Amino acid sequence: MIPIISTVPIQQLASGDCLSIQVYKFIGANPGKKTYLQANLHGAEIVGNAVIHQLIEFLISINDTQLNGEIWLVPVCNPISTNQRTHYFSTGRYNPSDGKDWNRIFWDYEKECEDLEDFAKSHINLEVDAIQNEYFKRIKTIFDKLLEKLNSPSGAPFNERYRYQLQSLCLDADYVIDIHSSSNQAIDYLYGFHRREESAKYFLLEHEILLNEYDGDAFDEAFLKPWLALENQLETLGKPIVFDKESWTLELGSGMQMNPESVEKGVQGIKNYLAQKDILSIPDFPLPQTASHKVTFVSKSTLKKYYAPRGGMIQSRVKLGASIEAGERLYQIISFNKEELPKLIDVCAENAGLVFDISTNHAVNEGEYVLSVM
Amino acid sequence: MIPIISTVPIQQLASGDCLSIQVYKFIGANPGKKTYLQANLHGAEIVGNAVIHQLIEFLISINDTQLNGEIWLVPVCNPISTNQRTHYFSTGRYNPSDGKDWNRIFWDYEKECEDLEDFAKSHINLEVDAIQNEYFKRIKTIFDKLLEKLNSPSGAPFNERYRYQLQSLCLDADYVIDIHSSSNQAIDYLYGFHRREESAKYFLLEHEILLNEYDGDAFDEAFLKPWLALENQLETLGKPIVFDKESWTLELGSGMQMNPESVEKGVQGIKNYLAQKDILSIPDFPLPQTASHKVTFVSKSTLKKYYAPRGGMIQSRVKLGASIEAGERLYQIISFNKEELPKLIDVCAENAGLVFDISTNHAVNEGEYVLSVM
Amino acid sequence: MIPIISTVPIQQLASGDCLSIQVYKFIGANPGKKTYLQANLHGAEIVGNAVIHQLIEFLISINDTQLNGEIWLVPVCNPISTNQRTHYFSTGRYNPSDGKDWNRIFWDYEKECEDLEDFAKSHINLEVDAIQNEYFKRIKTIFDKLLEKLNSPSGAPFNERYRYQLQSLCLDADYVIDIHSSSNQAIDYLYGFHRREESAKYFLLEHEILLNEYDGDAFDEAFLKPWLALENQLETLGKPIVFDKESWTLELGSGMQMNPESVEKGVQGIKNYLAQKDILSIPDFPLPQTASHKVTFVSKSTLKKYYAPRGGMIQSRVKLGASIEAGERLYQIISFNKEELPKLIDVCAENAGLVFDISTNHAVNEGEYVLSVM
Amino acid sequence: MIPIISTVPIQQLASGDCLSIQVYKFIGANPGKKTYLQANLHGAEIVGNAVIHQLIEFLISINDTQLNGEIWLVPVCNPISTNQRTHYFSTGRYNPSDGKDWNRIFWDYEKECEDLEDFAKSHINLEVDAIQNEYFKRIKTIFDKLLEKLNSPSGAPFNERYRYQLQSLCLDADYVIDIHSSSNQAIDYLYGFHRREESAKYFLLEHEILLNEYDGDAFDEAFLKPWLALENQLETLGKPIVFDKESWTLELGSGMQMNPESVEKGVQGIKNYLAQKDILSIPDFPLPQTASHKVTFVSKSTLKKYYAPRGGMIQSRVKLGASIEAGERLYQIISFNKEELPKLIDVCAENAGLVFDISTNHAVNEGEYVLSVM
């Protein structure tokens, strides 16, 4: 199966050069759901490019009759951040001109939909598909208006131009998968949403952070939150529905790396997910272990991040992936206080848990990030 | 009058060195209001340091009987951002570790005060001063709890440690003045709040942007919003009150500069404000022109920013301070498109207005900021 | 006259996008000298793009019979540095990966030519043109070998790849003009070389800095130094020759700006230079004032840069372009020493001279640049 | 044994805060050689801070009778670079204001000593100690003159102020040890100089890069090169002498880390070196394996660095520490070329060798560094 490759211009630079993204569209012989995958929204988080590269090679090797619906793949989806360097580090987590996190800029229909209750009431007696169609039309209508501002003389800051391009590609998708990693160093895990817990295990990862609170305007949130809001509204009105819309963020290891084990887990998990969803009809998938696979769910609000109480150098830190007890020492700071001997400061765990993310840099100014416990 | 100088440690660095801020406290012979001034919260916005330097020299030259109450002055209030450099530019507008704007990090009691209506109802029959005292106690109680998190093993990110130090200094102030400038190039103007329009003219500046919408968690907002919220609540309950609490952001010219005219306007305006408020009893002030001074008020929501529609070089831009008509050309981009001749693109004004801020950099990537019209 | 536009790929980025440069080649109806112009080698120094844009428009407006030889123009010649941003400043003076100044990376044949004396001796009796041809062949032969390293498996750092592209374009030129500006703020002036003082006045600028010492590997040096070395050698052998090879760096005002007066001076000076050299046959040029125009020459080694003796804020600085006396105050630092009152420090001139360059940033850490005197 | 702790101010910042370094001076009961150790000259290379911390703790635990001479230790010797951050990476390898590598700024007497031959001839008949004393006096006299420029009104760029402070501390030392690491990821090894090969094994590391060519103005070079130059001169005159002056750069692992094994090797190696040199009289040292320890010497000029031929993502790279054959694949680039399918590019070894340093970042723009082979 050969993909359609389309090129979407993203930004003309001061030099006149133009950055663009590539969309690899695999169209199945049979109609079906649309799946959208992207990688490398944050500059340092490159692992998903290898995952998508392997998926492209795999999809090329199969027949279009083995694909129901469409799979759209966008590696290096944010060339501005991928190419940014300070020294030789990928420091492109934030847009340098406004400081915004590249994954907190997306347009969220829920925030503009003021008549959701009215919509729910007036459509409650329709079939699920009909409700979904009507609701999507509304989203699309408002989304299309964003273009007016982009094309006005006053224009729009780059963040708004950029998000319009990416969200244009996935607005009508059914399943959205955004591949990230830690900007530091982390285990492999998943971010997922309410009422989609059952599908989580298809990815065959051990941990999911359940988004019970939102940072706001992240890519995964922006896609799914409007649908969750409508589900909530309908439930309040006595008609519990779960739309067949899903949004996932895969976190595959560490920043500036493409760890082979993480890449392999990502590829396998996505193939298994697509097979479970009947999008791919491929040998050996879904994998037999899927049914019995257990995912540990942790609510986002219960995560605990540790920040350095003093400036200095971190040593004797617990290992990534370690299970720790309350009161156990997590790390030690060598603090080179002026006019006296260096001091050692022990920092201990407030609660038991799993160390799932640790800082790459062992030198810390006061208040810098050290590690996270789930 | 000699100030009390106190040093507040702000951050221990990885090297063991410690950055601190200086508070110059002038205590009048007579009791009275507390005024808090700071400068240079954003690294490039240094103009207020010269203003505060001149105010310190002036206050030293007068007698403590000429001061009612206290004036606290904090120049270079954010040493982390003041000292930050890329090449030789002051690029410290955002915290490099989390991308947060240094002036969008402050603690806003309004967001945590869930029982404001109850408070208003139960205190509505007290004297204004008594309401103010009771409400301040509540703010202070919740604010003091922030320290627990800072001192916990998991600590807090630097932003939270820093805001605690700055807000500790001004929480009990009556008047707060935060001196900024454009990070780019701008005229001199003022940010102010609802129900304080009358005091605006004391600063003798021509333009005020009225904060009818909030960016969230700015220093001036964080100080005044809780009081505005209580005023709104009391008004709803039929008791309109304006507390004698004021918060101002002075914008004095351009970034990385201390333009002598802007400095002089700042010093004169602040002296005039303090004289009008009966804090300073000094010859010649308040200035006679104060009564007839006219301030043009513009609502924040009506400001219009222009962003480059293409990448290239800006030329023929209207001058800072120019009055422009709708349809008038604002600037031109030379776009060096590849494989063809360079193109000129004209960008015209959507509406008439005053060009009050322009970008320092005449090279723009697509979507970068060019100018603002009020 | 319509130029040939050719596109030269410069760098494939991590995202897969490719940056390139455009060469606009105007080929005259009559054979003659080759002139090479480029602009924006340092990211912030954009003024030359407007100069080149106006030259392109002008050359399009004339007839190819009015041009003897060829003029090649390369605006935005370093897209990597032009597009680089920190906050919204153009901070691309150095390659972020190795810290090298983009104008100290060029290949200088003089450094590799070990048998110059032999060459001079064996060719001394040829005609000037023949010597020039033979010498150029040698330069070209060695230059071409650079490509081997670029194409080897170990490759080469980007600086070497980049310089190869730019120097390929101008290696066989006769006159090279590189348009810069201060990265800070400066007057308009010229850098030039020994034995070319007579042509300096064609540019109609008032000041030239004569390169009597070299920073090493700058673009202008790399082009001309091999020819100067041969001239020196031949002179030592008793045959003084000046090859008709010239290399100029125009400094047109301030960084991140395209000051209209500086642009106009640049365009006029270059047209006048080209007319004097009989490359352009155009009405009104050469301008009549050329003959009597006086250029003040200053040796590079006599320039004096001033660096801040303490950290603080700069005020009361002398104006750009001011003539100053020895002992005269140049600027004042407000130093906010901790635990005491702020102090003022006066810095005075060591010698008389002209203030030709001043820092854009008025905040300085100890040892940062403040101004330059010629 | 309790050290004398002295604090040396290094830089007053724009905010008025002052960065300083700490020197921990351990003075033995018996006279002897002076050893100088420093760490963290490059911001990301923090490993030596843990080494020096352990050495301080060890020296405190012994008696001053066990120390002959003096040991001066300077951890976090470059607070500017240690504290510098972009995002949360330590990007302080270059001075941001002039792009200079912090380890290419030091004052090298050899470059200013124009009468070395005269000196050698006129002192050749003295005892070695007398020659050494007379030569040191010359170095010191010229070095002291640097202060004049620092204190002049025009001052000096920070690099010159900083190097003066560090070199003041070690100018009269006998043995200088500068602890670095890769800014990327590397094995543990040593940089050393001609005629000091015998002492190399005291550090018990497996590999030494012999500095047969110089980058120029590195800390280790600046200390030893003047002595090597005099040795060379005397040898030419028929009097081969090796002064008891040594200079070493230890490279202990990877950047932004303090790998426990690397720290342990560093501490052990330095203790063993000091014991071999009779500076420390401590149990168990020198270690018995010292005599038979073999160091592999590799000349600096034979190292081979590999740079990415295209932009993309690196995968399947050989492991750090791997021995590779000529022609063997070193790594693969996934290149996301626009408008076509992604391509894989294999890069193979030009020669056999040991992969001793690899890039931390697996995303590369064209021409970025990938790995080094010795």
Side-chain angles (χ1 to χ4, degrees), chain A residues 119-282:
Chain A
F119 174 86
K121 282 181 181 162
S122 59
H123 292 75
I124 197 162
N125 296 322
L126 298 189
E127 294 296 303
V128 173
D129 280 4
I131 299 177
Q132 186 170 316
N133 286 342
E134 287 306 307
Y135 192 59
F136 176 72
K137 273 189 214 159
R138 296 201 155 211
I139 294 176
K140 185 80 170 62
T141 304
I142 306 295
F143 180 76
D144 287 346
K145 286 194 184 142
L146 297 176
L147 198 54
E148 286 169 28
K149 190 184 168 201
L150 301 191
N151 289 335
S152 69
S154 59
F158 179 69
N159 280 346
E160 294 182 24
R161 303 175 86 89
Y162 174 56
R163 73 181 184 185
Y164 180 81
Q165 297 295 351
L166 275 198
Q167 292 188 282
S168 291
L169 297 173
C170 70
L171 204 68
D172 65 349
D174 299 286
Y175 310 132
V176 163
I177 299 173
D178 190 13
I179 313 177
H180 285 245
S181 72
S182 176
S183 289
N184 281 290
Q185 294 174 12
I187 63 169
D188 305 317
Y189 62 97
L190 199 63
Y191 281 100
F193 290 84
H194 194 41
R195 298 194 197 97
R196 276 83 186 149
E197 290 88 344
E198 188 53 28
S199 307
K201 70 175 168 194
Y202 303 163
F203 291 104
L204 300 167
L205 297 170
E206 284 177 55
H207 302 276
E208 173 175 318
I209 297 175
L210 192 61
L211 287 159
N212 67 330
E213 63 178 17
Y214 301 114
D215 278 350
D217 305 328
F219 189 78
D220 53 359
E221 294 177 13
F223 177 74
L224 200 64
K225 272 182 64 201
W227 297 101
L228 294 176
L230 180 56
E231 290 174 4
N232 292 343
Q233 194 60 250
L234 290 167
E235 191 174 53
T236 306
L237 299 173
K239 180 159 179 177
I241 287 180
V242 178
F243 295 104
D244 192 10
K245 295 277 184 182
E246 297 189 358
S247 185
W248 306 95
T249 297
L250 268 61
E251 299 277 337
L252 298 176
S254 303
M256 300 195 292
Q257 295 180 31
M258 308 196 297
N259 180 278
E261 291 77 32
S262 296
V263 172
E264 198 188 327
K265 273 198 204 172
V267 172
Q268 177 192 263
I270 291 167
K271 283 162 71 173
N272 199 50
Y273 177 86
L274 295 172
Q276 283 280 2
K277 292 286 191 184
D278 284 326
I279 292 165
L280 290 183
S281 306
I282 50 176

Side-chain angles (χ1 to χ4, degrees), chain B residues 139-312:
Chain B
I139 295 175
K140 184 79 169 64
T141 304
I142 306 297
F143 180 76
D144 287 346
K145 284 192 185 144
L146 298 175
L147 198 55
E148 284 169 30
K149 190 183 168 202
L150 302 191
N151 290 334
S152 70
S154 59
F158 179 69
N159 279 347
E160 295 184 23
R161 305 175 84 89
Y162 173 58
R163 73 181 185 185
Y164 180 81
Q165 296 295 351
L166 275 198
Q167 292 187 281
S168 291
L169 296 173
C170 70
L171 203 69
D172 64 349
D174 299 286
Y175 309 132
V176 163
I177 299 172
D178 190 13
I179 312 176
H180 284 244
S181 72
S182 175
S183 289
N184 282 290
Q185 295 174 11
I187 63 167
D188 305 316
Y189 62 98
L190 198 63
Y191 280 101
F193 291 85
H194 193 41
R195 299 192 195 98
R196 275 83 186 148
E197 289 88 343
E198 187 53 29
S199 307
K201 69 175 168 194
Y202 303 164
F203 291 104
L204 299 167
L205 296 170
E206 283 176 56
H207 301 276
E208 173 174 319
I209 297 175
L210 193 61
L211 288 159
N212 66 331
E213 63 178 17
Y214 301 114
D215 278 349
D217 305 329
F219 190 77
D220 53 0
E221 294 177 13
F223 178 74
L224 201 65
K225 271 182 64 202
W227 298 100
L228 294 175
L230 181 55
E231 290 174 5
N232 292 343
Q233 193 60 251
L234 290 167
E235 191 174 54
T236 306
L237 299 173
K239 181 162 178 175
I241 287 182
V242 179
F243 294 104
D244 192 9
K245 295 276 184 184
E246 297 188 357
S247 184
W248 305 95
T249 297
L250 269 61
E251 299 278 337
L252 299 176
S254 303
M256 300 195 292
Q257 296 181 29
M258 309 196 297
N259 180 278
E261 291 75 34
S262 296
V263 172
E264 197 188 327
K265 272 198 206 172
V267 172
Q268 177 192 265
I270 291 168
K271 282 161 74 174
N272 200 50
Y273 177 86
L274 295 173
Q276 283 280 3
K277 291 286 191 185
D278 284 325
I279 292 166
L280 289 183
S281 306
I282 50 174
D284 305 329
F285 284 88
L287 291 166
Q289 62 266 42
T290 313
S292 61
H293 184 76
K294 291 274 173 266
V295 178
T296 307
F297 292 89
V298 178
S299 290
K300 184 161 185 293
S301 58
T302 66
L303 305 178
K304 176 70 79 180
K305 290 186 171 191
Y306 285 75
Y307 298 92
R310 301 291 287 155

Side-chain angles (χ1 to χ4, degrees), chain B residues 20 22 88 183 256 338-339, chain C residues 20 22 88 183 338-339:
Chain B
S20 58
Q22 300 288 103
Y88 42 62
S183 289
M256 300 195 292
K338 301 293 155 174
E339 297 176 41
Chain C
S20 58
Q22 299 289 99
Y88 41 63
S183 287
K338 301 292 155 173
E339 297 177 39

Side-chain angles (χ1 to χ4, degrees), chain B residues 44 88-90 181-186 253-257 314 317 320 357-364 368-372, chain C residues 44 46 85-90 183-185 254-259 360-361:
Chain B
Y88 42 62
F89 300 112
S90 284
S181 72
S182 175
S183 289
N184 282 290
Q185 295 174 11
S254 303
M256 300 195 292
Q257 296 181 29
I314 291 173
R317 187 170 60 183
L320 179 63
D357 188 281
I358 57 173
S359 69
T360 294
N361 196 347
H362 296 207
V364 282
E368 282 196 306
Y369 170 74
V370 181
L371 59 80
S372 298
Chain C
I46 58 175
R85 292 287 178 281
T86 311
H87 196 191
Y88 41 63
F89 300 112
S90 284
S183 287
N184 281 289
Q185 295 174 11
S254 303
M256 299 196 292
Q257 295 180 32
M258 307 196 298
N259 180 278
T360 294
N361 196 347

Side-chain angles (χ1 to χ4, degrees), chain A residues 55-82:
Chain A
L55 290 172
I56 290 172
E57 301 230 312
F58 173 75
L59 292 170
I60 286 173
S61 76
I62 66 172
N63 227 303
D64 66 358
T65 54
Q66 293 175 277
L67 170 59
N68 303 313
E70 306 184 6
I71 301 175
W72 291 25
L73 302 114
V74 185
V76 281
C77 74
N78 184 353
I80 297 100
S81 78
T82 298

